[in-house]
Amino acid sequence: MTDRARPQRLYLDTPVTYLKGVGPSRAEALRRLGIVTAGDLLFHVPHRYEDASTVAAIRALEPGMQGTVIGTVISKGVIPTRKGLRIFQAVLRDETGMIEVSWPGQPFLDRTIQKGDVLLVTGNVRFFHGRQLQPREFINLGDEEGATAEGRVLSVYPATEGLSFKLIRSIIDAHLDALLPLVTEYLPADALRRAGVPGIADALRMVHRPSSIAEANTGRSRLAFEELFFVQLLQQRAKELARERRAGITFVNKRSLTTKLRETLPFHLTGAQARSIREIVADMCSDRRMHRLLQGDVGSGKTIVALFAALLAIENGYQAAIMAPTELLAEQHARTMTRVLEPLGIAPILLTGSLPARERKVIAKRLESGEPVLVVGTHALVQDATVFAKLGFAAIDEQHRFGVEQRKALGAKGEAPDVLLMSATPIPRSLALTLYGDLDLSMLDERPPGRQAIATALRPESARARVLRFIDRQIEQGRQGYVVYPVIEESEKTDVKAATTMFDALSGGPFQERRLALLHGRIPADERDAIMRRFREREIDLLVATTVIEVGIDVANATVMLIEQPERFGLSQLHQLRGRVGRGADESYCILLGDVSPEAAERLQIFVRTEDGFEIAREDLRMRGMGDLFGERQSGVPTFRIADPLRDEALNERARAAANALLARDPGLEKPEHAGLRRVLGERYARSLELFRVG
């Protein structure tokens, strides 16, 4: 396109095709990155930076140092090792000297790095047949940029095929001065003041053309705050609208059954349990339908809290239901509740799919009659054949194990029952308030007194025989245990130990005199339940399993948990597995067995040193990212491009406070000064169209 055909003035909505340096092919590549207009280009921010302002001279590097250098490739090649590993090596030179740079296992770099290229490399220096730099990060500056890179902070942009980060950087840099004056502030001044972040134009300059890493981080904090602020606005507005529309049952706190339960419990409630019960009772006694998440660590006492809520419904003449993901867990809940409720003269009903048809009919008649009862069951509770005449309260245990439709189906039983979702996956409060922002939140962040600490240790493969003898001694003393493996079957492609193979090895070797059983996800559900019942009844000494046992198994006699190849598991998953032992009065043990890398050992030591599920979850999320840890609940949360609700926890709290303050003043964002905010919300989040009068 000729300059004459280009528009004389630049606007944020100018198509990128009209920008200098962007032709049709580059415009197509930019489109793949979601960049269609000049404004999109402005908000395409770097995903990392290389600090060339602190570049060291190659001659100054010493073994044991960490350093950043810029040098020209004077030779390169791929070197094979005796073990079959192929190492790409290059020699870099600057005006002070030369150094060898080594990339083990990355021979493909030989195709992308050429003699004469200028590399910026950051890494550790070691001595191996001379000084050698092992890169942690590197940028190929090509053969042009090296001379101008030193002394700068280099922005590294998300790129795509046919469009390198250097090309993107040059396009943005060429138009930045013209684009920045076109951006007008759309966040309220008091929100920016609360957060302590710069205005949008300053922030964009800082992220694209920073003078230091600290300045780049300041600019990034504004953009991260913005994303968190928008999400908090959407979540809190959705919650308020739902409350307005959500007429519910207004229960009366009669304190008949609930007070009697508190008096007859063989233990004192923790402060966190008492606080959560007060929050739930306040919800249930309001005229709005409760929709609350109860989050607690393994063994924090969620079931007792749900039981108080169920009794509040029953003493008001309503029915209550508690749904669990497996028959085994439903049976455990029913047994626990039967024991606790016996002094009150209440016997819970157990409803599962395996009950004989005759028993299910009897239960169905009781539910259809409107009799105020407590029913504990599985997904059988949400089947069409199960009709509640007067359901007032529904609790869903291990809520992430159910699909959205199953959760909705139980909430749809009766006219408008109060709903309590329960989860044993601890999430830091700030993150939970973001992911589950449309729910009210109660947290059990306190362990009941007297619960045994579980001795936890990481042992190398050389300790295998000693560890297995220890487990055998536990069995000899009348205890039981678990051995957990990462997969069901072996594969030629990996060296991961498999439950089926190791079951044969253990039952035919060190535990041939013991009673073993195999449990994994491919075994039919009814057979799995039968195996667990036999384990609970002490007919099985040692259960060899996959992670199918991580939730809902309560066997007080099990005192030892052996987890093989622990580096294959997330910390939160390991914590759930450890929670299967230590449920009785005897000392319990969790042993991680295997030779692991130094990095994995560092991660696993976090698990070894603490039993605090919230601390473990925080570290797990920090290392692995959120991933799909939160299942379908996360699907309603807009994707974060810049913010990280965990890493930016303090910023997230400020965003929540700012959103609260704004919605208190202007719930519909209808004031003229919020027109820009409404516009940006409408452009970025379709969901906002339902919540605010946008556009």
Side-chain angles (χ1 to χ4, degrees), residues 591-633:
I591 305 167
L592 312 179
L593 181 61
D595 293 332
V596 301
S597 68
E599 293 80 9
E602 183 180 355
R603 180 175 70 90
L604 293 171
Q605 285 301 332
I606 296 166
F607 170 74
V608 169
R609 72 169 179 257
T610 183
E611 288 187 60
D612 184 336
F614 288 93
E615 182 182 343
I616 287 170
R618 183 184 299 276
E619 290 300 324
D620 205 17
L621 287 164
R622 198 184 307 281
M623 291 177 171
R624 299 199 305 156
M626 291 193 296
D628 60 354
L629 179 62
F630 312 107
E632 294 163 87
R633 287 299 319 163

Side-chain angles (χ1 to χ4, degrees), residues 56-223:
I58 287 178
R59 184 176 58 190
L61 297 181
E62 296 288 345
M65 289 177 56
Q66 281 200 355
T68 299
V69 299
I70 293 177
T72 303
V73 178
I74 61 171
S75 66
K76 63 166 189 139
V78 175
I79 301 172
T81 67
R82 290 178 182 176
K83 294 185 178 181
L85 182 67
R86 301 177 71 206
I87 302 173
F88 175 69
Q89 288 186 343
V91 176
L92 300 188
R93 181 174 63 193
D94 67 6
E95 63 274 12
T96 69
M98 296 183 295
I99 193 167
E100 187 179 83
V101 188
S102 179
W103 287 268
Q106 300 183 56
F108 56 87
L109 291 177
D110 194 36
R111 297 191 298 272
T112 58
I113 295 176
Q114 307 299 326
K115 285 180 66 174
D117 282 354
V118 179
L119 304 187
L120 182 146
V121 184
T122 298
N124 296 316
V125 183
R126 67 169 189 164
F127 190 86
F128 184 74
H129 302 302
R131 289 183 311 159
Q132 190 178 86
L133 188 63
Q134 294 189 308
R136 185 178 69 252
E137 298 280 355
F138 83 97
I139 300 179
N140 188 338
L141 302 173
D143 56 3
E144 302 172 354
E145 199 173 359
T148 60
E150 193 165 349
R152 294 168 50 198
V153 174
L154 301 173
S155 304
V156 183
Y157 292 87
T160 186
E161 185 178 352
L163 199 63
S164 70
F165 72 87
K166 287 183 290 183
L167 273 173
I168 295 173
R169 184 197 298 152
S170 67
I171 294 169
I172 291 175
D173 199 54
H175 297 92
L176 189 62
D177 292 331
L179 289 172
L180 286 177
L182 304 178
V183 180
T184 54
E185 186 56 69
Y186 40 85
L187 292 190
D190 66 326
L192 294 176
R193 191 168 52 252
R194 280 174 180 270
V197 295
I200 186 61
D202 285 341
L204 289 169
R205 181 197 59 76
M206 290 174 178
V207 296
H208 288 299
R209 201 181 281 162
S211 60
S212 66
I213 295 292
E215 187 175 70
N217 287 335
T218 299
R220 179 205 156 275
S221 70
R222 150 63 201 238
L223 301 177

Side-chain angles (χ1 to χ4, degrees), residues 276-277 279-281 283-284 289-295 301-310 321-324 392-400 402 407 410-411 417-423 439-444:
S276 296
I277 290 168
E279 291 168 348
I280 290 167
V281 168
D283 273 0
M284 294 179 69
R289 187 180 183 190
M290 180 174 72
H291 202 209
R292 182 172 286 272
L293 172 68
L294 176 64
Q295 182 181 256
K302 294 181 293 297
T303 306
I304 287 296
V305 172
L307 194 52
F308 273 92
I322 297 177
M323 185 166 73
F393 170 76
I396 301 171
D397 196 13
E398 301 298 343
Q399 58 92 17
H400 61 282
F402 293 98
R407 295 196 295 261
L410 183 58
D418 284 344
V419 176
L420 181 68
L421 306 175
M422 300 192 288
S423 174
L439 301 175
D440 292 302
L441 178 66
S442 291
M443 298 187 76
L444 297 179

Side-chain angles (χ1 to χ4, degrees), residues 227 230-236 238 404 407 433-438 626 630-640 684-688 690-691:
E227 288 186 344
F230 286 160
V231 169
Q232 295 290 354
L233 279 176
L234 296 176
Q235 298 282 46
Q236 291 179 38
V404 172
R407 295 196 295 261
L433 285 167
T434 303
L435 294 170
Y436 300 104
D438 55 336
M626 291 193 296
F630 312 107
E632 294 163 87
R633 287 299 319 163
Q634 198 180 336
S635 61
V637 180
T639 302
F640 293 108
R684 295 197 192 173
Y685 304 110
R687 183 186 179 198
S688 66
E690 308 164 14
L691 306 176

Side-chain angles (χ1 to χ4, degrees), residues 233-234 236-238 240-241 244 659-679 681-682 688-695:
L233 279 176
L234 296 176
Q236 291 179 38
R237 176 67 171 169
E240 285 306 310
L241 289 178
E244 291 173 9
N660 265 328
L662 177 60
L663 292 176
R665 297 194 310 272
D666 186 8
L669 302 183
E670 297 172 287
K671 293 183 177 180
E673 61 265 33
H674 297 144
L677 178 58
R678 291 200 308 271
R679 175 183 55 77
L681 275 172
S688 66
L689 296 171
E690 308 164 14
L691 306 176
F692 301 100
R693 283 180 274 196
V694 178

Side-chain angles (χ1 to χ4, degrees), residues 291-600:
H291 202 209
R292 182 172 286 272
L293 172 68
L294 176 64
Q295 182 181 256
D297 202 352
V298 177
S300 59
K302 294 181 293 297
T303 306
I304 287 296
V305 172
L307 194 52
F308 273 92
L311 291 181
L312 176 60
I314 290 170
E315 68 185 16
N316 277 268
Y318 285 85
Q319 298 166 325
I322 297 177
M323 185 166 73
T326 66
E327 291 199 1
L328 195 70
L329 187 53
E331 289 172 8
Q332 286 177 185
H333 283 334
R335 277 199 312 276
T336 301
M337 293 176 187
T338 297
R339 187 169 61 249
V340 170
L341 294 175
E342 189 175 4
L344 281 66
I346 295 175
I349 299 169
L350 178 64
L351 178 59
T352 64
S354 64
L355 281 179
R358 184 179 301 175
E359 289 186 38
R360 287 206 302 272
K361 284 182 181 178
V362 171
I363 293 170
K365 285 184 179 179
R366 290 183 66 182
L367 297 179
E368 288 173 11
S369 73
E371 177 188 351
V373 295
L374 169 61
V375 57
V376 182
T378 57
H379 59 278
L381 292 172
V382 300
Q383 292 176 346
D384 292 341
T386 306
V387 178
F388 292 86
K390 204 174 181 185
L391 182 63
F393 170 76
I396 301 171
D397 196 13
E398 301 298 343
Q399 58 92 17
H400 61 282
R401 302 284 288 267
F402 293 98
V404 172
E405 294 307 317
Q406 287 175 308
R407 295 196 295 261
K408 284 182 180 176
L410 183 58
K413 297 282 184 179
E415 292 184 11
D418 284 344
V419 176
L420 181 68
L421 306 175
M422 300 192 288
S423 174
T425 302
I427 311 165
R429 181 177 180 82
S430 178
L431 184 55
L433 285 167
T434 303
L435 294 170
Y436 300 104
D438 55 336
L439 301 175
D440 292 302
L441 178 66
S442 291
M443 298 187 76
L444 297 179
D445 49 8
E446 192 178 344
R447 286 168 62 91
R451 186 165 169 84
Q452 292 257 15
I454 300 166
T456 305
L458 173 62
R459 295 287 180 257
E461 186 64 29
S462 59
R464 172 176 294 277
R466 191 165 71 252
V467 168
L468 296 182
R469 282 197 300 272
F470 173 77
I471 295 172
D472 196 58
R473 285 197 300 274
Q474 288 285 303
I475 295 173
E476 192 173 343
Q477 293 168 17
R479 309 287 175 248
Q480 294 163 277
Y482 305 91
V483 184
V484 179
Y485 293 94
V487 296
I488 299 173
E489 294 176 347
E490 284 189 346
S491 165
E492 293 180 4
K493 296 179 181 178
T494 68
D495 58 355
V496 180
K497 287 180 177 166
T500 51
T501 307
M502 295 307 295
F503 172 76
D504 293 336
L506 293 173
S507 57
F511 298 109
Q512 56 184 323
E513 303 299 324
R514 306 302 181 189
R515 299 168 298 177
L516 274 66
L518 177 65
L519 191 70
H520 56 71
R522 292 184 195 163
I523 294 173
D526 54 349
E527 195 176 330
R528 287 203 305 269
D529 285 345
I531 291 169
M532 279 310 308
R533 287 189 188 94
R534 288 173 53 216
F535 187 66
R536 193 177 61 214
E537 299 301 323
R538 303 192 185 187
E539 296 173 13
I540 295 169
D541 299 317
L542 194 63
L543 201 57
V544 180
T546 59
T547 55
V548 71
I549 66 160
E550 73 178 287
V551 170
I553 293 175
D554 187 358
V555 178
N557 192 52
T559 59
V560 62
M561 165 71 66
L562 172 61
I563 303 172
E564 295 240 36
Q565 293 187 297
E567 75 279 6
R568 300 275 177 172
F569 301 87
L571 295 182
S572 294
Q573 197 172 36
L574 290 172
H575 183 61
Q576 291 290 332
L577 290 168
R578 177 168 56 186
R580 299 310 102 210
V581 297
R583 306 180 86 84
D586 298 302
E587 188 171 4
S588 295
Y589 310 87
C590 179
I591 305 167
L592 312 179
L593 181 61
D595 293 332
V596 301
S597 68
E599 293 80 9

